[in-house]
Amino acid sequence: MRRYLLKRIIFFVPTLFLLVLLSFTLFRLAPGNPVDRMMMGSNSQYYQDAGEWSDQRSYWNHRLGLDLPVFYLSIGSWEDNSLSRETAEDTWKKFIPFLHFHPNNQFHRWFLGDNLSSRGIIRGDFGISYTSGQRVSELIASRIGWSLFFALFSILLAYLISLPIGLHAAQHPSSLFTKVSSTSLIILFSLPVFWSATVLLMLFANPDIFYFFPASGVQPTGGFPDGITWIQKIRMTLPYLVIPTICYTYSSLAFLSRIFRVTISEVLKQDFIKTARAKGLSEKVVIGKHAFRNTFLPVITVFSSVFPSAIGGSVLLETIFSIPGMGLTIYQSIDAKDYPVLTAVFFLTGLITMAGFLLSDVMYAMADPRISFSKKQVS
Amino acid sequence: MKIIKLAWESVKNIFQLKKQPLWIRWVFSMYIFTALFAPFIANKAPLFMIKEGNWYFPAFQNSAYVIIQENGKEIAVLKEAVNWHAIKNEFQLFAPIPYDPSSSDLINYNYVSPFAQQYTESEKPPSELKPLSWRNRHWLGTTKTGADVLAGLVHSTRLSLLIGFFSMFIASVIGICIGSLAGFFGDKLLKVNRRSLILSLILVVPAGFYIFVFPENNLELPETESIPAYFSFLKVLLFLFIIALPFTMKINKSKKDSPQTLWTIPIDSFISRGIELFVSVPRLILIITLAAISRPSAMSLVLILGFTAWTSIARMVRAEFIRLKNMGFMESAISLGLSNFRQIIYHLLPNAIVTVRVGIIFGIAGAILTEAGLSFLGIGLYPDTVSWGSMMAAGREQFSAWWLIIFPGISIAILLIMLNRIADENHYVPQEKPL
């Protein structure tokens, strides 16, 4: 058990490093020069007289470290260490391959910081957003609230609804309710969530049909009126949340009840359930005490995916309802090609998912001792 | 030959259409039929026409022009622009839906409902409108520009199925290769000659230099536009080939191979960690970012979806291989001395596919759903391309045009319900073969 955990944690470090590398590569692959983007954001005349800006440009190139080599190692010829074509002389040395090492490079600065303009992602500095000029970490902190709220609230709601459905379906596999619910859940599962969101908006937020709920946003457009208590604020916000909550919930509902049904019916086939029944325990105790506990293993896994999905947000739903969360931020940054924000979201989501995997593996190993043993048996 | 037969068997095994209920078989074949023959179901140009004794098949011609003989002269007719109804012919046979998905109807534009009266220009008193005949009716209404919704649905079925099937084909190939490597060899079985490994690692530098760096810096290369897109792909293939060379060379089979010269590669751990890394990357964000970076086209979308979807299949194949390796028939296969390749291709894969099919079909459904979501956001496909998602996005701008939202939604929902139903394990009855 301890060995398994240790192994698992030791493997975590290189995977994390690979994630950092991957985020950096994606960031570097992005088309367009960051300096151009930054200066275009501050000055609209930039492209008309780009020649006058060349000093500025080279200054920023140098300041941001874009003139440095990309990574620690690079493959080049023996002769040119500077990676530029002009300085390489016509000698026989340029035909010889050579592995160069650069102690000061872009990745190093991006990862660990340079004590000048950035402090490196290892200290939580993801740079500056091209569009708003805000620090990316501040931007994310200001936007994550709504995404986190919807992710948590909808998953709780989905649990509360899907658990009884899954339990009933596993206990009475041939009842009418099971057949109806499983068919309708498959249909629900198959409906594209952006489609049902649009249809719900069309039906219930449409002045021509039913105008029950506002169509977009999470607050009145002009902000809250002055001098109202927080209870009134909540009451004013509630109508904005109804349709988004339905859409957020139902997409995970079908998935969850499926998982519950499969796991519970797997558990009910096990020997210890037979033993419990043979002991003469009532069905309530068998289900509630013996079977129910074992269904919580997959629940751990699913719950560990809540936080990453909160960081990633639901791009489609938040765009449709214009909820100012992470998903909308991602959509807007893609529209504006705001790569620092995208890289930050990418890296953070990956980091939290991986931490979630680690945590759920540890919890699994604690909850189910067979996992560490079975590992030994296989190898 | 035998492998091709095996591949076809496994394709049949994946969908298992013979075991599905009748409605699924019908709906499935209807979707496939629509996808295959979309240009002949909805096309502005006639399928067949006779003019002055000559026969023409304009819908079957791939070019933008059709050469037509009129009064002894040859005229080039632009397919997009010409009004085919106005051409005087002896005989004309139009497609069942006589519209293109993107061509605009200049009279029935600005969201004409399926139930509304639709008009056409009458011939006798010019500039007067008469009701449109049922043959040319827009059965599912029109968009803002007057494009026919039904024609759009037909063509986007083709697009969606193409993206779904091809991306999942790529994903399955990658996933099966990687998953079977991890599952078959595990952590202990893959042994590599030390010399080959070191030689291959050393080869990385010269191969990388002469293939990628040297031509870039020193050769006079033509403009980047004139180099075909697959050229860089070929370069990568050549690079991989050179790196793989030491493993095929004779040094691998020298008689001196003792446990000291063989290194065990824990390939299973490597691949599992790699998959974990890949899974932890938010897939939708990765797809959106890649789609925003790359040139918008169906081809790049297929590649992006394919290269990001293989993980679930690789995991399934790996788990299934580990399970199957402990079974009796594998023990006898090993004791018979079958080669690794034979064990994988003929014994493990056909058995594994029975479980993996669920992942593949769910993957197709997921790819179709992702494509629709992306085109709903306006990412990934070329802006003019008509697809289910882009039609819904057009409907979102005008809620009174309900037909733009409902009909694409229904067609995608039926497709997904059907795919999910085919994949549903609860209805699967394992086939029992006599030994």
Side-chain angles (χ1 to χ4, degrees), chain B residues 1 178 181 289:
Chain B
M1 238 9 246
I178 290 181
L181 260 185
T289 315

Side-chain angles (χ1 to χ4, degrees), chain A residues 8 11 15 18-19 22 26 30-31 75-77 80 85 94-97 99 186-187 189-192 194-195 198-199 201-202 206 258 261 312 315-316 319-320 330-331 334 339 345-346 349-350 353-354 357, chain B residues 188 204-206 208-210 213-214 216-218 269 273 276-277 279-282 284-286 288-290 292-293 362 369 372-373 376-377 379 392 396 399 402 405-406 409-410 412-413 416-417 420 424 426:
Chain A
R8 189 69 189 71
F11 264 125
T15 332
L18 276 180
L19 178 72
L22 198 69
L26 204 72
I75 295 172
S77 62
D80 67 339
R85 211 178 294 185
K94 77 173 191 183
F95 294 99
I96 309 299
L99 196 65
I186 280 195
I187 292 174
F189 186 68
S190 311
L191 291 183
F194 54 92
W195 181 64
T198 318
V199 169
L201 275 184
M202 191 181 85
N206 186 351
R258 238 181 117 80
R261 194 182 67 193
V315 180
L316 281 161
T319 314
I320 292 173
I330 292 169
Y331 181 65
I334 282 170
Y339 292 114
V345 174
F346 193 81
T349 325
T353 319
M354 273 168 54
F357 281 160
Chain B
K188 307 246 159 118
V204 169
V205 174
F209 175 71
Y210 288 119
V213 182
F214 185 76
E216 196 82 351
N217 284 350
N218 296 296
S269 295
R273 292 313 117 193
E276 184 174 294
L277 170 73
V279 170
S280 65
V281 165
L284 192 67
I285 300 176
L286 181 66
I288 288 180
T289 315
L290 287 177
I293 288 175
F362 273 137
L369 194 61
F376 185 80
L377 289 177
I379 301 169
M392 283 186 233
R396 202 161 74 92
F399 275 150
W402 52 268
I405 300 171
I406 298 294
I410 288 177
I412 193 171
L416 293 183
I417 288 170
N420 287 340
D424 198 347
N426 290 354

Side-chain angles (χ1 to χ4, degrees), chain B residues 11 38 72 84 87 94 99 103 111 145 169 174 197 216 218 244 250 254 273 278 287 326 330 357 376 380 392 410:
Chain B
V11 168
W84 290 96
I87 296 179
F94 279 99
Y99 295 102
S103 64
Y111 307 112
T145 57
F169 175 74
I174 301 174
L197 194 68
E216 196 82 351
N218 296 296
K250 273 286 179 211
S254 72
R273 292 313 117 193
F278 219 85
I287 290 174
N326 291 331
M330 279 317 289
R357 64 180 282 272
F376 185 80
M392 283 186 233
I410 288 177

